[in-house]
């Protein structure tokens, strides 16, 4: 790995008690470039802009995918990643579906560890705080040809993240717009999937909803995802979540919630979640909770769901009654090294890795 | 408009008899930036790279759309655009669906004319030659937040294009993969649509097909598009093409072909084109032609179509018998000022526009 440390680190001006998420970046980034059919040597370098023409193929033909993951600092100052091998597997599934080359394990896993170790002072400690990490791959060939690019960049950038807390939101069940097609790229963290979701979300915002529950594009009868998260429904004391497919992201938080629920003896049913069954359960008073899960906020609790012209309020459960919040606590405790990790999910970021690469 | 001419033009090294399409760029480009809720002043500047971080939102969330259009030089050296107002309307439809701001008419239309006038020596003259022009809009905010970007760039870049001629190709009717969902972004020239199509196309290539005929994702019973083009089918002496929808691009070449066919008295039916009807017509010997249309090659003639495990050869028609090639000739004659233009499609690029802006 090529190491080029920043001559002008900004860490001195970073206030871990006062920052906003997503637009402040740590001092370094990882870059690895692909051309002539192979990946070059990964490089740690100062975070910042690189030269790209407007004819860059990523801007024109959208070959781009990413991962979202976090690093957590415990009370001893040790830094941990959470199930990074899942993100490594998934970025390459996304890459394959977008006809991009798979990124090598060394660039991804060692890149992560070298970057986080070099900038470990940027990982905030405290309730809900973490370092949000963004690995991504995008096309970099400069050509106006609608075909597979011959050049790519793999990059890892990161930004300190704030509290998990997010206020309960109202979500609208989509009966017109969709985010994925059968035989499409919905399961991939493809850049274009996000762009496609913004306009329908804006329309839902204008109707007073924060997010959309996406349904299948053919019938709009089945739940798929919620916003940019996987979705869970609790009817009585059973949790339901859609099975992964070529339309549904195989979320790391989703998988962790399923395992944590089973560990607690909560029944989890993975399969079709039908809009009519959810509405019927509400009418019987059996719909207890609906929530989204994802890396960014872990859990987004829904206080109401809209369908057609009706808004269905959900019960307000205490933090103890709520499966969503209980499983969130279980997950965060493992992520932040405040609980045993029977699953082997935590990965320690060793110190002074730089000296060994 | 801000004018910043190149100090180091490359036109002297451009050989209009010997170049390849899509990776040589004219000396200038148009750039216009959007922030704080408004577009800035358009700028003509030397073509080249600009600084973008890997945290640029276009790379991460895919807000990016484009247009494809051409400028043609006639035998007197005059340069014409073809129906540029259609591209202007469409880029803003695409932008709206991707929650991006509409580009102002001045930046788009005057930008085009100023750029083409400044670099008119780059417009090649001769059989099939043209300047391919690529207007595009993409997000430029530097932030790891999956939401609508607050900053954008509109750019126009261009590359000399070669002969229209493309060998007849074999295409495969998709029975699994899809390019668009109902309620999705298939009608937009969204960057992500192209990325999503590359992998299925690669699989079709490995089966011996050059392109895919995309079908609806729910049933795969209806034709949608072919490759990155609109598709036409001729059964006996009637032409069929799918109606535009939220899944099908409203192509300028498609619309022009329909109008040119009607002018010749050829019957055109716009509506569902069912796979089973096309295959049945082939079995009756009535399937005369299937072809794709788009700005890049105008017409791509299909010599065979594959469906399930069978390959159906299409008749080899002469240039006179073929509706595809006849309509292509009609269109190119108008585009290149070799025929009357009863539709008012040609737009002259006036000389010395720079002095007036």
């Amino acid at each position: 790995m090529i190491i080029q440390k920043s001559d002008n680190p900004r860490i001195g001006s970073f206030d871990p008690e006062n920052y906003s998420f997503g637009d402040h970046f740590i001092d370094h980034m990882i870059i690895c470039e692909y051309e002539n059919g192979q990946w070059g040597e990964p490089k740690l370098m100062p975070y910042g802009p690189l030269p790209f023409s407007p004819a860059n193929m990523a801007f024109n033909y959208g070959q781009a995918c990413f991962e979202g993951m976090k690093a957590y600092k415990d009370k001893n100052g040790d830094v941990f990643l959470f199930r990074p091998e899942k993100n490594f597997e998934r970025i390459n599934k996304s890459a394959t579906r977008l006809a991009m080359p798979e990124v090598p394990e060394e660039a991804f896993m060692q890149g992560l560890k070298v970057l986080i170790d070099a900038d470990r002072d940027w990982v905030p400690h405290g309730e809900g705080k973490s370092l949000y990490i963004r690995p991504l791959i995008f096309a970099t060939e400069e050509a106006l040809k609608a075909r597979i690019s011959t050049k790519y960049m793999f990059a890892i950038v990161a930004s300190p993240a704030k509290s998990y807390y997010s206020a309960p939101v109202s979500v609208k069940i989509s009966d017109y717009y969709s985010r994925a097609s059968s035989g499409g790229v919905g399961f991939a963290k493809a850049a274009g999937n996000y762009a496609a979701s913004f306009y329908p979300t804006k329309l839902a915002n204008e109707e007073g909803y924060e997010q959309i529950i996406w349904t299948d594009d053919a019938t709009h009868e089945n739940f798929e995802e919620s916003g940019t998260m996987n979705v869970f429904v609790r009817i009585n004391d059973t949790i339901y979540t859609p099975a992964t497919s070529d339309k549904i992201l195989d979320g790391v938080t989703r998988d962790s919630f399923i395992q944590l629920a089973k560990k607690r003896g909560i029944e989890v049913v993975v399969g079709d979640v039908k809009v009519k069954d959810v509405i019927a359960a509400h009418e019987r008073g059996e719909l207890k909770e609906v929530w989204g899960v994802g890396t960014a906020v872990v859990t987004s609790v829904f206080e109401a769901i809209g369908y057609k012209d009706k808004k269905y309020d959900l019960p307000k459960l205490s933090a103890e009654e709520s499966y969503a919040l209980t499983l969130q606590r279980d997950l965060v405790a493992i992520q932040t090294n405040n609980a045993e990790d029977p699953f082997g999910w935590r990965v320690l970021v060793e110190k002074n890795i730089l000296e060994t690469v």
Side-chain angles (χ1 to χ4, degrees), chain A residues 169-183:
Chain A
V169 297
S170 296
V171 295
K172 185 174 184 206
I173 298 173
S174 182
D175 56 8
Y176 176 73
Y177 289 104
S178 65
R179 69 171 287 284
S181 64
S182 296

Side-chain angles (χ1 to χ4, degrees), chain A residues 13 19 33 55 72 102 105 129 135 155 158 175 232-233 247 271 284 291 357:
Chain A
S13 62
Y19 60 92
E33 293 190 75
Y72 308 87
E102 294 191 3
E105 186 163 3
K129 292 181 178 173
D175 56 8
F232 283 82
V233 172
K247 303 173 77 179
R284 293 193 308 271
W291 71 96
V357 295

Side-chain angles (χ1 to χ4, degrees), chain A residues 41-86:
Chain A
E41 193 174 355
K43 180 176 173 181
L44 177 83
M45 63 179 288
Y47 172 81
L50 298 168
F52 297 106
S53 153
N56 185 38
M57 287 179 75
F59 293 142
N60 288 272
Y61 306 116
Q63 278 182 287
C65 65
F66 68 89
E67 280 300 316
M69 49 200 306
K70 285 180 168 176
Y72 308 87
K73 186 173 276 178
D74 74 3
K75 56 187 178 300
N76 302 317
D78 284 329
V79 174
F80 297 89
L81 292 166
F82 182 74
R83 308 185 77 182
E85 74 286 355
K86 296 283 284 182

Side-chain angles (χ1 to χ4, degrees), chain A residues 152-204:
Chain A
Y152 298 88
M153 179 172 284
F154 168 66
I156 311 177
V157 297
S159 173
K162 297 269 281 208
S163 168
Y164 300 116
Y165 179 75
S166 59
V169 297
S170 296
V171 295
K172 185 174 184 206
I173 298 173
S174 182
D175 56 8
Y176 176 73
Y177 289 104
S178 65
R179 69 171 287 284
S181 64
S182 296
V185 299
F187 71 95
K189 281 190 86 76
N193 289 344
Y194 294 80
S197 75
F198 293 159
Y199 177 73
T201 304
K202 186 173 78 166
L203 297 183

Side-chain angles (χ1 to χ4, degrees), chain A residues 6 12 68 72 92 118 127 157 176 195 204 225 233 235 264 269 288 339:
Chain A
S6 171
Y72 308 87
N92 281 340
E127 178 68 27
V157 297
Y176 176 73
E225 297 188 11
V233 172
I235 297 174
R264 278 189 172 268
V269 178
K288 300 288 177 61

